[in-house]
Amino acid sequence: MKYSSIALLTGGLLATTPANALSAATAPGFWDDPVNHPLMPLYALSLFAAIVAMLVVVVCISLLRVLNVLINLSEKERAEKHGIAYVPRGSFWQQFVQKANASVPLTQEQDIDMGHDFDGIRELDNHLPPWWKWLFAGTAVWAVAYLVVYHLYGNLPLQQEEYDQEVAVANEVARQRKAAQPVEEIDVNALKYIADAAILEKGKGVFANNNCGSCHRADGGGNTIGPNLTDAYWLHGGGIQNIFNTIKTGVVEKGMPAWGKTLSPQDVRDVTFYVMSLQGSNPADGKAPQGDLFEETHAAPDSTAVQASL
Ligand code: HEC
């Protein structure tokens, strides 16, 4: 990519810019280990060059000042030799400001008076200040440079391309992240419940971390929003398959979120197991049963099948 070196130069120090997101995802970021970063010499050199440039500017300004003093001195001498009254020149900066503004001094304002008088407010025929015209010319030059660089030669990407590239980089990073931790789909039909302590522990965590308790009560006994998950009555069917599907797709119009959108299949399975484990726990003041009594029609759980499906 043509612009990559520029992007590195400008954005490299901020290791989080999208242009570097890809490399940041694969290689360690600049700030992780600045000393050993491969681009460190480049950055150090740039910094050094910037400092030298700054010093050069400072020295130049001092030199100009000295020069100004000398010029003033020699002009004073010459004026004295010719017997003319000497008017010292201002500093370069003062001269520059005068040039940039070129404002008409108060004493000469009558020369540009338009003769329009509005209750004592008089109109002057002031021209546009030169700094403004320089700026205008600058924008014209900039426009030409922009046209050439962005449109004719395409050395730098336009906004849309820049956006597309950033999206492509982000997609690539997301793809790599997904590839690094593949999501194993859960075959819901093969699921069978067993009281596996590890899964139940994880499911309990999922239940707590996603505030299932805010709608179903911390012990699953139900509250004004969500139904009791501990009884044998179900609105959307009991049994591991139905419960898994209800949690995964939710009952959005009734206020039960579709957890399959935010939780991994494993998390949905784990929390399903946890909900199954609440069966018959009969917490105090549980919500009255809702829906239909669900009776397991399957044969007794076969623990080998469960292990195979996990
Ligand atoms: C914002 C409130 C809310 C949250 C949070 C919530 N639920 Fe629900 N849930 C509901 C409502 C409301 C229903 C009943 C839907 C209906 O009436 O059809 C429900 C129904 C269910 C059912 C089916 C009950 C039945 O009788 O068929 C299960 C299972 C369930 N939720 C599990 C969960 C789990 C697990 C979580 C956390 C991951 C959770 N819910 C988080 C509101 C919520």
Side-chain angles (χ1 to χ4, degrees):
M1 285 181 278
K2 280 174 267 176
Y3 53 86
S4 59
S5 54
I6 297 168
L8 278 175
L9 269 174
T10 53
L13 278 170
L14 311 163
T16 49
T17 53
N20 295 306
L22 193 55
S23 53
T26 48
F30 177 75
W31 290 115
D32 293 340
D33 186 7
V35 178
N36 292 319
H37 194 271
L39 287 173
M40 188 59 195
L42 181 66
Y43 295 146
L45 206 70
S46 312
L47 192 68
F48 180 70
I51 291 173
V52 169
M54 239 143 57
L55 287 178
V56 166
V57 168
V58 169
V59 169
C60 281
I61 289 176
S62 318
L63 274 180
L64 282 178
R65 291 187 132 180
V66 172
L67 207 65
N68 208 30
V69 170
L70 290 180
I71 291 175
N72 271 342
L73 269 181
S74 76
E75 278 186 354
K76 195 175 173 189
E77 260 173 35
R78 211 172 338 141
E80 274 167 3
K81 228 195 309 185
H82 292 92
I84 319 168
Y86 169 66
V87 190
R89 295 210 232 173
S91 68
F92 277 102
W93 175 247
Q94 284 164 335
Q95 288 175 39
F96 172 76
V97 168
Q98 176 53 31
K99 224 184 222 153
N101 287 314
S103 50
V104 177
L106 272 178
T107 48
Q108 286 162 31
E109 269 185 357
Q110 70 275 12
D111 299 346
I112 54 167
D113 194 320
M114 307 266 294
H116 300 155
D117 189 330
F118 308 93
D119 291 341
I121 300 171
R122 307 185 66 79
E123 188 181 3
L124 300 182
D125 184 19
N126 271 317
H127 52 72
L128 284 167
W131 67 259
W132 194 95
K133 290 186 233 171
W134 299 340
L135 208 63
F136 181 69
T139 58
V141 172
W142 176 262
V144 172
Y146 189 94
L147 190 78
V148 171
V149 170
Y150 280 91
H151 290 281
L152 291 185
Y153 287 102
N155 306 65
L156 291 170
L158 288 168
Q159 276 186 12
Q160 181 66 44
E161 292 162 7
E162 221 171 315
Y163 170 77
D164 291 343
Q165 280 158 2
E166 283 175 18
V167 169
V169 168
N171 283 341
E172 176 61 17
V173 170
R175 197 191 60 72
Q176 285 180 7
R177 192 179 49 230
K178 273 200 190 132
Q181 30 184 268
V183 180
E184 175 199 334
E185 281 305 321
I186 300 279
D187 178 7
V188 60
N189 294 318
L191 273 187
K192 294 226 167 71
Y193 175 70
I194 44 151
D196 182 301
I199 295 183
L200 291 183
E201 194 54 38
K202 279 200 236 158
K204 193 177 182 179
V206 175
F207 195 89
N209 293 339
N210 294 284
N211 289 327
C212 305
S214 63
C215 297
H216 293 288
R217 233 169 70 174
D219 57 13
N223 60 24
T224 45
I225 308 171
N228 191 329
L229 301 178
T230 66
D231 58 23
Y233 290 80
W234 297 91
L235 292 161
H236 301 282
I240 194 153
Q241 274 75 29
N242 290 326
I243 295 178
F244 182 96
N245 286 332
T246 310
I247 295 173
K248 185 175 168 196
T249 49
V251 192
V252 179
E253 66 281 2
K254 294 283 177 59
M256 165 69 179
W259 295 97
K261 287 188 185 150
T262 45
L263 298 181
S264 72
Q266 277 77 13
D267 282 352
V268 173
R269 177 203 58 201
D270 296 351
V271 80
T272 303
F273 271 55
Y274 178 67
V275 169
M276 291 286 293
S277 77
L278 297 176
Q279 273 301 292
S281 60
N282 201 13
D285 310 324
K287 195 174 179 181
Q290 289 164 278
D292 303 323
L293 181 66
F294 183 84
E295 277 162 297
E296 198 80 58
T297 51
H298 305 287
D302 168 359
S303 59
T304 49
V306 185
Q307 293 305 341
S309 68
L310 295 182

